[in-house]
Amino acid sequence: MTATMLEKDVPSEPSKSILTGRYRIPTVGIVLVVTLLAFEAMAVGTVMPVTARELHGLSLYAWVFSAFLIASLLANVVAGGWADRTGPGRPLMAGLVTFVTGLVIAGTAPAMWVFVAGRAVQGLGAGAAGVAIYVLVARVYPEHLRPRAFFALSAAWVVPSLVGPALAGLVAEHFHWRGVFLGLIPLVVPAMVMLIPSLRDAGGGSDELSAGASRGGARAVWPARGAAAVALAGGAGALLFAIDHPALPMLPVAALGLAGLAFGLPRLLPPGALVLRRGVPAAVTMRGLMSGAFFATEAFIPLALTSAHGFTPTQAGVVLTFGALGWSASSWVQGRMDRPHRSLIVLGGVLTAIGVAGIAIGTPVYAWSAVPSWIIAGSGMGLTYGGLSVLVLNLSAPLDQGTNSAALQISDTLGGALGIGLAGALVTGFGADRLGPGLAAAGALTMLIAAVAVVAALRVRDGREALDA
């Protein structure tokens, strides 16, 4: 695949900042949107115990997270095709309005099933907005500024990662858990207003798509992608449900889930993604593998530290904070590059694998070894996460940017959801009285996933390689 650049991607002046000139307002708007989405993502886990008790819905606890992820998968596909046809403006605004609607439903829910429905609506909105933001970055910023734009997106997660859980806990303790959701609503409106001028300039309409389709730019017809999206979302839901309820009668449900994934993934990921074809396909798959290894490990660090070593929740949270700081610092390094380099992406994959292995092997022996291990893992994610996003956009034709951005989001979300689900099944399968072996098995799984991610990194091309191809 050859790299394609929009004519407006060639800068008229050698700007080195995304906070000057015409880039200032879209940068602030994008960062604000991502910060709000990140805060909600980090806060919901903190208030869930209180919410579940008040709404008498402990049996639906896991579905608060699963419903969000599954809805996000579906929205990723819809928004990707929509952005390719009309530009990022409409899917981004529709996504933010949908996200706000989900906040209202969850924040006013009288019962747990209504709360779960609100989380699903939030997932639809967040999924659509996430893809549209990627396309907006491609349309607004020239190629040499995209790494800095994606660093800004990564940096937008830092403050929510550091203060989101604690702030949500304070709101739930001293006010009410509903304030965590309803309190975000007034903050979304300024971000939407800031982005309107940039969305108008981003362009991309149906006429362009029709012309591009005749050249083979549009790889898939919407009805086929829609069916694949439904199959993928339904398959992920069925598989996660079967994983949550391990029993012989669940085997047909698990088989149905696997069938949905087998049907949907090849139609929604770039051709060759499942066999690590060089270029965009390998980059998309690597992103999912990295998310699966990292977030599955992160989900069980607090459990391992509190159950095996007597850590308090605050002490366990400190470990996760160090990982967020490592992610932010390495994202800054990646963001200073005019063009992402494959060597840094490979290094990021290796560092993440080392960090994940350090958690799995070192933490049972010495608890505080988790701190350097998780800094290393977070640093690896920071080097790869934004870099893969930039590479995929740079190596995509303009009319494929929405589709490939959606593929990144799909791989990311599905990798994290399945990684956490499989690791959780191993932990619970051993039982509460054998938590150590269960965590060890989960650690072995995450190390395997991280190792495969390193293999995928070796199949990723950078922009210069693609131009020479």
Side-chain angles (χ1 to χ4, degrees):
M1 182 180 294
T2 58
T4 306
M5 189 188 304
L6 294 172
E7 289 184 5
K8 63 182 179 181
D9 278 347
V10 181
S12 57
E13 56 183 26
S15 175
K16 288 292 184 180
S17 175
I18 58 175
L19 291 173
T20 58
R22 66 187 183 93
Y23 304 121
R24 181 184 297 111
I25 296 301
T27 298
V28 174
I30 289 171
V31 168
L32 182 55
V33 167
V34 174
T35 299
L36 295 174
L37 296 177
F39 179 83
E40 190 274 342
M42 299 301 299
V44 66
T46 303
V47 302
M48 270 314 301
V50 180
T51 304
R53 283 195 300 268
E54 181 172 320
L55 298 181
H56 307 288
L58 191 60
S59 62
L60 294 175
Y61 193 101
W63 281 98
V64 170
F65 304 96
S66 298
F68 183 95
L69 292 171
I70 293 167
S72 295
L73 285 175
L74 185 60
N76 290 157
V77 179
V78 174
W82 193 1
D84 282 338
R85 292 193 301 275
T86 68
R90 294 177 184 176
L92 179 54
M93 289 299 172
L96 292 177
V97 170
T98 303
F99 180 72
V100 168
T101 302
L103 292 175
V104 173
I105 295 172
T108 59
M112 192 65 166
W113 70 267
V114 179
F115 185 83
V116 171
R119 286 285 293 161
V121 175
Q122 290 174 40
L124 288 173
V131 171
I133 285 173
Y134 274 42
V135 179
L136 182 61
V137 168
R139 302 290 176 89
V140 169
Y141 300 94
E143 185 175 334
H144 74 288
L145 286 181
R146 289 176 189 166
R148 301 192 178 199
F150 278 106
F151 163 68
L153 296 186
S154 295
W157 279 82
V158 174
V159 173
S161 298
L162 295 177
V163 306
L167 182 58
L170 289 174
V171 171
E173 181 178 353
H174 296 287
F175 297 96
H176 200 280
W177 63 263
R178 297 182 188 275
V180 172
F181 300 92
L182 299 178
L184 286 179
I185 295 173
L187 302 178
V188 177
V189 177
M192 296 173 66
V193 173
M194 285 183 187
L195 290 174
I196 289 175
S198 299
L199 293 174
R200 289 173 179 166
D201 294 339
S206 57
D207 292 339
E208 291 183 26
L209 180 63
S210 299
S214 65
R215 299 191 302 269
R219 292 196 305 265
V221 181
W222 161 243
R225 289 184 62 80
V230 171
L232 183 64
L239 186 58
L240 288 174
F241 183 83
I243 289 173
D244 285 340
H245 302 80
L248 189 60
M250 288 292 105
L251 286 178
V253 178
L256 183 63
L258 290 172
L261 295 179
F263 178 82
L265 278 175
R267 291 164 175 79
L268 297 176
L269 300 186
L274 298 181
V275 294
L276 302 181
R277 181 180 298 171
R278 292 183 67 85
V280 170
V284 168
T285 302
M286 182 188 177
R287 183 73 167 257
L289 293 168
M290 293 283 287
S291 294
F294 183 86
F295 292 114
T297 303
E298 182 181 58
F300 292 98
I301 286 176
L303 178 62
L305 293 177
T306 56
S307 63
H309 297 284
F311 273 39
T312 65
T314 301
Q315 289 173 323
V318 168
V319 176
L320 301 185
T321 298
F322 276 109
L325 292 175
W327 188 321
S328 177
S330 61
S331 293
W332 180 84
V333 173
Q334 180 67 264
R336 304 302 296 175
M337 303 289 179
D338 288 338
R339 182 190 298 273
H341 300 290
R342 190 184 71 166
S343 58
L344 286 181
I345 290 176
V346 174
L347 175 61
V350 171
L351 289 176
T352 301
I354 292 173
V356 166
I359 294 292
I361 298 172
T363 303
V365 178
Y366 178 60
W368 284 108
S369 69
V371 171
S373 294
W374 206 232
I375 291 174
I376 292 171
S379 299
M381 290 295 289
L383 286 177
T384 59
Y385 211 79
L388 289 173
S389 300
V390 175
L391 279 179
V392 167
L393 286 176
N394 290 352
L395 299 178
S396 300
L399 294 174
D400 285 335
Q401 287 170 341
T403 300
N404 287 340
S405 294
L408 266 180
Q409 297 280 349
I410 290 166
S411 181
D412 200 10
T413 303
L414 186 63
L418 293 182
I420 293 171
L422 291 172
L426 290 172
V427 172
T428 58
F430 277 85
D433 57 339
R434 301 186 63 203
L435 193 57
L439 289 169
L445 173 67
T446 56
M447 286 193 293
L448 176 61
I449 297 173
V452 179
V454 174
V455 175
L458 299 174
R459 305 287 297 170
V460 173
R461 291 179 177 178
D462 63 25
R464 290 166 299 179
E465 289 178 297
L467 287 170
D468 294 338

